[in-house]
Amino acid sequence: MSASPSAPTLGWRDPKRYLWPLGLVIPLSPFMAWGLVTWLGPGAFWALGLIIIAVAVPLVDAFAGVDKSNPPLEAAEALENDKYYRWCLYLLIPLQYAGLIAACYLWAYGPLGVPERIGLAVTIGIVGGVGINAAHELGHKRENAERWLSKITLAQAFYGHFYVEHNHGHHVRVATPEDPASARYGESFWKFLPRSMFGGIKSAWELEQRRLDRVGKKTWTAHNHLFNALAMSIVLFAILIAAFGWQVAPYLVLQAAIAVILFEAANYLEHYGLLRQKRSNGKYERCNHTHSWNSDHLWSNLFLYHLQRHSDHHANPVRRYQALRTVDESPQLPAGYAVMIVCALVPPLWRKVMDQRLIDYYDGDMARVNGG
């Protein structure tokens, strides 16, 4: 699966090209679950999304190992301009919403008990969490259509503020104490979660106010990105409740909460304890490849569109997922995101796995640690 960085551009082909549709397995999981329950019977299959993320992907990662291959730099432009990769991502969105509609039908009319309904809500929430990751990829792009697709994808989780805060807040303040989405050393995920959520909403509001002031528009306007993103979520939920009845409302709320928890857990592990140092002028150094935790585990990267090559994403925010690179100086997680998210949800386990790794990365110098 490797390709030499020095390989000539002429004749080079992405060895992962036809593996990227694996990213659609998670949005397909509600339909796969429906088929398995119909065929085999056990209602536990409604939680198939959780089984894939927490069991199947880590097992395959363990056998497949890591992928440290990079495309030749000379091939980067052609790779980014190849529309095939965009459609591998775009197709996630209709599948995401088809799964949500199917779930509402099953919650309303299917022969499911409460545990099965909750299991299905977990699967739909995991789809929504992966959808936030797709929105993360799309929201960084210059094309207006992709930015709108980002908002549409975020609507399922009621997380439209992420579109503003991530691009204009997190990327500016990443790996500093001022960033609500950068976890501090010793901070548990359950303490980080409300700080990131509510701090992100507050930051997004302030950023959007400033943007509208600059272009001479009022805050309370349809041009406000937060308002039109929120409107998408309200309209989506209203249509689903009108179509399927109020009985779907608790499960819609549950799946949105699971989506947010899943994605914020990824946020938590991406910058845990890492700190940009201040220069002599009091300003932080520029964000570079040392300010995000990476994982080169092959299969979880395929499922998450290279989200785990997070350092290169922060160094090159508009670079498309298929062209993201791994670099030796980036700090490395001991496993893929699927395993590390489970660790994050259990704070003592997380600290056992990660605290000494962080301290060792900074050679024991706690002054270089965010929160140290």
Side-chain angles (χ1 to χ4, degrees):
M1 290 298 299
S2 65
S4 169
S6 61
T9 301
L10 183 64
W12 180 86
R13 289 184 64 83
D14 179 9
K16 293 177 283 192
R17 179 179 179 86
Y18 297 110
L19 295 177
W20 288 113
L22 286 170
L24 303 177
V25 168
I26 293 298
L28 282 169
S29 61
F31 302 102
M32 296 162 61
W34 197 348
L36 286 170
V37 171
T38 302
W39 182 32
L40 299 175
F45 284 120
W46 289 119
L48 183 63
L50 180 62
I51 295 169
I52 292 172
I53 284 289
V55 180
V57 172
L59 284 175
V60 176
D61 255 351
F63 285 103
V66 300
D67 164 41
K68 288 190 171 292
S69 65
N70 286 321
L73 288 172
E74 298 84 357
E77 183 177 357
L79 189 61
E80 292 213 35
N81 290 333
D82 189 335
K83 298 294 180 66
Y84 165 81
Y85 295 95
R86 302 189 194 189
W87 283 104
C88 287
L89 184 65
Y90 294 165
L91 286 172
L92 182 146
I93 302 170
L95 290 175
Q96 173 186 342
Y97 278 96
L100 180 62
I101 293 167
C104 286
Y105 171 82
L106 290 164
W107 289 326
Y109 307 118
L112 284 69
V114 172
E116 289 83 5
R117 293 170 193 269
I118 292 173
L120 178 56
V122 170
T123 290
I124 295 298
I126 289 171
V127 174
V130 173
I132 298 176
N133 175 49
H136 164 260
E137 170 73 16
L138 292 164
H140 277 289
K141 302 305 173 275
R142 295 187 176 97
E143 288 84 348
N144 197 45
E146 289 187 299
R147 294 183 178 186
W148 275 101
L149 286 174
S150 176
K151 292 182 186 179
I152 291 168
T153 310
L154 291 166
Q156 177 181 333
F158 254 85
Y159 226 53
H161 75 277
F162 175 84
Y163 172 84
V164 174
E165 160 56 19
H166 180 82
N167 292 350
H168 305 291
H170 174 62
H171 269 260
V172 173
R173 299 184 295 247
V174 64
T176 72
E178 290 79 21
D179 180 31
S182 293
R184 299 161 185 167
Y185 169 73
E187 181 180 36
S188 76
F189 168 68
W190 300 107
K191 184 176 180 181
F192 166 84
L193 178 62
R195 184 171 72 83
S196 181
M197 285 176 57
F198 297 115
I201 292 169
K202 178 176 180 292
S203 173
W205 178 255
E206 293 169 351
L207 288 165
E208 193 62 1
Q209 278 187 312
R210 290 201 291 269
R211 182 188 73 84
L212 291 167
D213 283 344
R214 284 196 303 271
V215 297
K217 296 186 182 296
K218 295 181 179 179
T219 301
W220 301 92
T221 172
H223 296 283
N224 187 314
H225 289 311
L226 300 183
F227 291 165
N228 53 52
L230 179 61
M232 288 183 188
S233 294
I234 292 171
V235 169
L236 172 65
F237 277 43
I239 290 173
L240 292 173
I241 291 170
F244 297 103
W246 280 101
Q247 64 265 39
V248 305
Y251 301 105
L252 287 172
V253 173
L254 177 59
Q255 65 82 27
I258 290 168
V260 169
I261 288 171
L262 178 65
F263 191 76
E264 287 292 355
N267 258 348
Y268 173 78
L269 63 88
E270 285 167 348
H271 308 284
Y272 179 76
L274 299 175
L275 180 65
R276 286 155 59 193
Q277 304 302 309
K278 284 191 174 181
R279 299 170 175 168
S280 57
N281 62 4
K283 294 183 178 181
Y284 288 105
E285 65 180 324
R286 184 176 181 177
C287 183
N288 60 48
H289 287 92
T290 68
H291 298 129
S292 304
W293 290 98
N294 275 17
S295 172
D296 286 324
H297 286 77
L298 173 62
W299 286 85
S300 46
N301 258 318
L302 292 169
F303 274 72
L304 295 174
Y305 300 99
H306 265 164
L307 178 66
Q308 298 176 161
R309 290 189 169 185
H310 206 63
S311 293
D312 198 36
H313 165 69
H314 271 276
N316 303 281
V318 299
R319 180 172 286 173
R320 292 186 181 271
Y321 72 88
Q322 67 269 23
L324 289 173
R325 307 175 68 80
T326 181
V327 294
D328 291 338
E329 60 263 34
S330 298
Q332 291 291 324
L333 295 168
Y337 275 24
V339 171
M340 299 310 299
I341 285 172
V342 172
C343 292
L345 300 179
V346 185
L349 177 59
W350 173 263
R351 299 204 66 181
K352 183 176 180 62
V353 170
M354 285 300 298
D355 280 7
Q356 192 59 49
R357 180 175 290 263
L358 170 67
I359 293 167
D360 290 345
Y361 183 71
Y362 284 123
D363 297 323
D365 185 355
M366 296 303 292
R368 299 169 64 194
V369 173
N370 187 3

